[in-house]
């Protein structure tokens, strides 16, 4: 079924008006109930005041030897019932039932009269509240009307005399409320019919120009419009949105291609510039050191054997550092190239990593640490030399930066290897760029290319590598795709 705008308008008006009518009717009911409640409370307050004053005057006229309610209960109940036109029941201070009278001209009260018992045996909330020194009333709805029960404790000169309980017929009040609600409901229905007819005429007039506009937009679908229209419905406006989206689709594809090429060019240029600057900076330091020492020892009057020994040692160290840097740059260039593809085969990771740990054990002892292996290995489809290079770079970093006296843990899971070591907290500016070229801590003889090469080689094997520092506990996790044996190979 096609959801046209006219149908949506009509259904929307129907739902909106129904909800509004429901809420307004509910508010009116609540207001009438609140008004009735307030009126009853006011009547009960007046009733309590009037009957209390009557009791005080009765005491002044009639003297009681013991308890006023006990001696004159029947007379007080009859007179109060005539005055208030309500049922009146009296209870003594000990809760015993004294007397009750019902007006003869109140058939509902007579019909619903209950032969009273002592307050301990009666289950009336207002009566219990009265003996708890509180005045209260309760409402009871019957088939023929509504009754209000009211009870309060009677004190004369601060002496508890007993409890007075009244029963009043409030049927007329609640019937008037129901009559008002019924009249309001009829009014709401009449308004609804009128609004529904008007909305039908209006929506019919609205949909006609929209249909013509939809047909017109299909004719200009190939033009340059940049406004996107969301399609969230199945009506005429949805057809119009489709037409606009057809025009925008071609432009969007072209712009996306241009932006992608632009981003690639900018990223490549930025990477090349950054890489060139880093290489220049890294090579300049050892060259400057070698050049400085060479100039000093090459002077004609130079004759310092100790300094000569120091200079040659420094030149040798800086030369080795440059050699390592050049080798790393060559490895990085190879890992970034797609031309050289080495043979891949299933390789069990555990023996490979164990061999690397054994080779680095001497260096680890010099750092006053040890390498522990946990878990079982798994098989990776890859090149052994490249996999070995990945773990050598990661393990060498762990040994180099590990805190003395803390072990390095190599943990195997299903398809991941995690190398954990304790060290000084890694600065945030290094931790967030740890896999970029030339990111390293100065002064430790590192070229800053080890983790970069490991990342390139890991991604070549379809895996991922991550770095996490938690307060001086560093985890480098390498995850490989799961390898499955194919047939009987």
């Amino acid at each position: 079924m096609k959801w046209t705008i006219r149908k949506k308008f009509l259904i929307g008006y129907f739902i909106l008006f129904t909800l509004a009518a429901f809420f307004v009717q509910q508010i009116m009911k609540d207001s009438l109930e609140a008004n009735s409640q307030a009126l009853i409370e006011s009547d009960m307050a007046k009733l309590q005041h009037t009957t209390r004053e009557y009791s005080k005057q009765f005491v002044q006229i009639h003297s009681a030897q013991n308890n006023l309610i006990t001696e004159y209960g029947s007379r007080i109940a009859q007179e109060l019932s005539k005055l208030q036109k309500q049922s009146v029941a009296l209870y003594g201070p000990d809760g015993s039932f004294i007397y009750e009278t019902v007006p003869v001209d109140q058939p509902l009260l007579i019909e619903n009269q209950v032969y009273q018992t002592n307050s301990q045996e009666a289950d009336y909330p207002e009566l219990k509240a009265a003996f708890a020194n509180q005045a209260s009333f309760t409402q009871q709805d019957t088939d023929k009307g509504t009754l209000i029960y009211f009870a309060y404790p009677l004190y004369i000169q601060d002496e508890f005399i007993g409890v007075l309980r009244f029963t009043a017929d409030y049927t007329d009040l609640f019937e008037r409320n129901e009559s008002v609600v019924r009249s309001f409901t009829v009014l709401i229905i009449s308004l609804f019919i009128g609004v529904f007819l008007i909305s039908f005429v209006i929506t019919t007039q609205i949909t006609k120009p929209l249909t013509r506009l939809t047909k017109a937009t299909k004719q200009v679908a190939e033009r340059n419009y940049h406004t996107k229209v969301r399609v969230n419905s199945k009506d005429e406006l949805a057809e119009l949105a489709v037409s606009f989206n057809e025009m925008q689709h071609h432009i969007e594809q072209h712009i996306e291609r241009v932006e992608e090429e632009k981003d690639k060019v900018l990223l490549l240029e930025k990477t090349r510039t950054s890489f060139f600057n880093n290489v220049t900076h890294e090579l300049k330091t050892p060259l400057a050191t070698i050049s400085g020492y060479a100039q000093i020892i090459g002077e004609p009057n130079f004759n310092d054997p100790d300094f000569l020994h120091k200079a040659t040692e420094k030149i040798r160290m800086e030369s080795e550092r440059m050699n390592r840097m050049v080798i790393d740059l060559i490895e990085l260039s190879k890992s970034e190239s797609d031309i050289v593809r080495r043979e891949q085969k299933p390789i069990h990771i555990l023996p490979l990593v164990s061999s690397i740990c054994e080779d680095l054990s001497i260096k680890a002892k010099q750092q006053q640490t040890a390498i522990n292996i946990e878990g079982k290995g798994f098989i990776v489809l890859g090149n052994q030399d490249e996999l070995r290079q990945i773990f050598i770079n990661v393990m060498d970093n762990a040994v180099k930066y590990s805190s003395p006296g803390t072990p390095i843990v190599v943990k195997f899971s299903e398809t991941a290897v995690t190398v954990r070591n304790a060290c000084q907290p890694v600065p945030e500016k290094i931790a967030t760029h740890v896999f970029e070229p030339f990111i390293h801590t100065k002064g430790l003889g590192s070229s800053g290319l080890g983790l970069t090469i490991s990342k390139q080689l890991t991604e070549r094997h379809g895996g991922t590598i991550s770095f996490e520092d938690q307060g001086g506990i560093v985890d480098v996790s390498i995850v490989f795709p799961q390898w499955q044996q194919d047939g009987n190979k």
Side-chain angles (χ1 to χ4, degrees):
M1 182 179 66
K2 186 176 180 180
W3 284 88
T4 62
I5 293 179
R6 182 169 58 183
K7 290 181 180 179
K8 289 187 175 182
F9 264 102
L10 296 178
I11 294 175
Y13 282 143
F14 176 81
I15 295 174
L16 181 62
F17 201 89
T18 301
L19 292 176
F22 173 79
F23 285 120
V24 171
Q25 187 178 32
Q26 191 63 38
I27 291 172
M28 175 168 285
K29 283 184 178 181
D30 294 340
S31 300
L32 290 174
E33 290 178 1
N35 183 65
S36 300
Q37 189 80 2
L39 180 61
I40 293 172
E41 291 177 358
S42 177
D43 290 346
M44 296 303 105
K46 293 178 181 178
L47 177 62
Q48 182 178 358
H49 176 74
T50 303
T51 54
R52 184 185 291 117
E53 293 299 322
Y54 168 83
S55 300
K56 291 180 180 179
Q57 295 177 5
F58 192 93
V59 170
Q60 294 177 358
I61 298 174
H62 305 84
S63 60
Q65 296 180 359
N66 295 317
N67 183 277
L68 180 67
I69 296 296
T70 304
E71 294 184 15
Y72 298 99
S74 60
R75 183 175 176 181
I76 294 175
Q78 290 174 0
E79 292 183 5
L80 289 178
S81 178
K82 292 178 181 179
L83 290 173
Q84 304 298 332
K85 295 183 180 181
Q86 298 181 16
S87 296
V88 180
L90 281 72
Y91 293 83
D94 58 350
S96 60
F97 172 71
I98 303 299
Y99 190 81
E100 182 179 17
T101 181
V102 182
V104 295
D105 58 345
Q106 298 287 337
L108 186 62
L109 297 181
I110 296 175
E111 183 177 348
N112 289 274
Q113 181 183 11
V114 179
Y115 293 99
Q116 303 294 336
T117 59
N118 296 336
S119 62
Q120 294 83 355
E121 301 174 2
D123 188 19
Y124 301 119
E126 74 283 350
L127 192 59
K128 293 181 178 180
F131 278 98
N133 204 30
Q134 294 180 355
S136 66
F137 68 91
T138 57
Q139 178 180 329
Q140 179 183 354
D141 296 323
T142 66
D143 296 335
K144 297 182 179 180
T146 303
L147 299 177
I148 299 296
Y149 296 96
F150 172 68
Y152 73 93
L154 179 61
Y155 286 86
I156 302 297
Q157 296 179 356
D158 297 332
E159 180 183 357
F160 179 56
I161 304 301
V163 169
L164 275 68
R165 181 171 180 265
F166 299 86
T167 306
D169 183 4
Y170 275 79
T171 303
D172 293 339
L173 174 63
F174 288 95
E175 285 182 351
R176 286 196 300 271
N177 291 346
E178 291 178 1
S179 177
V180 172
V181 173
R182 284 194 298 269
S183 300
F184 180 79
T185 302
V186 173
L187 176 62
I188 289 293
I189 294 174
S190 301
L191 289 174
F192 171 78
I193 294 174
V195 172
F196 189 85
L197 294 175
I198 294 172
S199 63
F200 179 83
V201 175
I202 293 175
T203 52
T204 301
Q205 296 299 322
I206 291 176
T207 54
K208 289 181 179 179
L210 287 177
T211 304
R212 291 194 295 267
L213 181 60
T214 301
K215 294 179 181 179
T217 54
K218 289 181 179 179
Q219 298 175 1
V220 293
E222 296 297 331
R223 299 202 177 178
N224 295 328
Y225 292 96
H226 302 279
T227 303
K228 290 185 178 180
V229 180
R230 295 183 179 180
V231 180
N232 296 322
S233 59
K234 297 181 180 179
D235 53 23
E236 294 86 352
L237 287 177
E239 296 177 3
L240 180 61
V242 170
S243 300
F244 271 103
N245 288 337
E246 287 177 357
M247 292 186 294
Q248 188 271 344
H249 180 68
H250 300 283
I251 298 174
E252 187 177 70
Q253 285 185 331
H254 178 71
I255 293 176
E256 286 179 354
R257 286 195 295 269
V258 172
E259 291 294 333
E260 287 176 359
E261 295 300 326
K262 178 182 176 182
D263 292 339
K264 288 180 181 179
V265 172
L266 293 176
L267 181 61
L268 180 61
E269 184 62 26
K270 182 179 179 181
T271 303
R272 287 178 178 177
T273 302
S274 176
F275 188 83
F276 177 80
N277 293 336
N278 287 329
V279 170
T280 303
H281 176 76
E282 293 294 330
L283 291 176
K284 183 171 62 177
T285 301
L287 285 174
T289 302
I290 293 172
S291 176
Y293 279 105
Q295 289 178 8
I296 293 175
I297 62 178
E299 293 180 356
N301 298 327
F302 177 79
N303 186 15
D304 189 345
D306 294 333
F307 186 84
L308 178 61
H309 176 75
K310 178 180 178 182
T312 53
E313 181 65 22
K314 192 67 175 178
I315 290 173
R316 183 188 64 81
M317 292 175 59
E318 293 297 329
S319 299
E320 290 178 354
R321 180 183 173 191
M322 288 182 61
N323 181 60
R324 290 194 302 270
M325 192 180 303
V326 172
I327 292 174
D328 287 342
L329 287 172
I330 294 173
E331 290 294 332
L332 180 61
S333 177
K334 288 181 179 179
S335 66
E336 290 180 342
S337 175
D338 292 330
I339 299 176
V340 180
R341 285 291 182 182
R342 298 184 181 181
E343 180 185 1
Q344 293 187 343
K345 60 182 180 180
I347 298 174
H348 204 293
I349 289 294
L350 181 58
L352 177 67
V353 176
S354 299
S355 174
I356 296 172
C357 293
E358 184 177 352
D359 294 340
L360 292 174
S361 61
I362 297 175
K363 186 175 181 179
K365 289 181 180 179
Q366 294 175 352
Q367 292 290 110
Q368 300 179 6
T369 185
I371 304 175
N372 300 329
I373 299 177
E374 298 179 359
K376 299 179 180 180
F378 52 89
I379 296 177
V380 174
L381 182 64
N383 181 269
Q384 183 165 349
D385 293 335
E386 292 181 348
L387 291 174
R388 185 175 180 84
Q389 184 66 35
I390 293 172
F391 289 103
I392 286 177
N393 291 339
V394 174
M395 294 296 302
D396 185 65
N397 265 7
V399 172
K400 187 184 303 179
Y401 297 105
S402 181
S403 300
T406 59
I408 300 170
V409 179
V410 182
K411 186 175 181 179
F412 290 86
S413 60
E414 291 184 0
T415 59
V417 182
T418 300
V419 180
R420 172 175 291 183
N421 67 285
C423 63
Q424 294 293 329
V426 181
E428 184 178 357
K429 63 180 181 180
I430 293 179
T432 53
H433 304 282
V434 71
F435 293 109
E436 297 180 10
F438 304 106
I439 300 298
H440 59 81
T441 303
K442 301 294 183 180
L444 294 180
S446 172
S447 65
L449 296 173
L451 290 181
T452 304
I453 296 172
S454 295
K455 183 176 184 294
Q456 296 287 347
L457 295 177
T458 301
E459 292 177 349
R460 175 177 289 184
H461 285 77
T464 58
I465 184 171
S466 61
F467 179 92
E468 184 178 5
D469 177 24
Q470 297 180 349
I473 302 297
V474 172
D475 285 344
V476 179
S477 298
I478 306 170
V479 182
F480 294 98
Q482 188 173 10
W483 177 81
Q484 295 181 349
Q485 184 173 351
D486 185 9
N488 293 326
K489 295 181 181 179

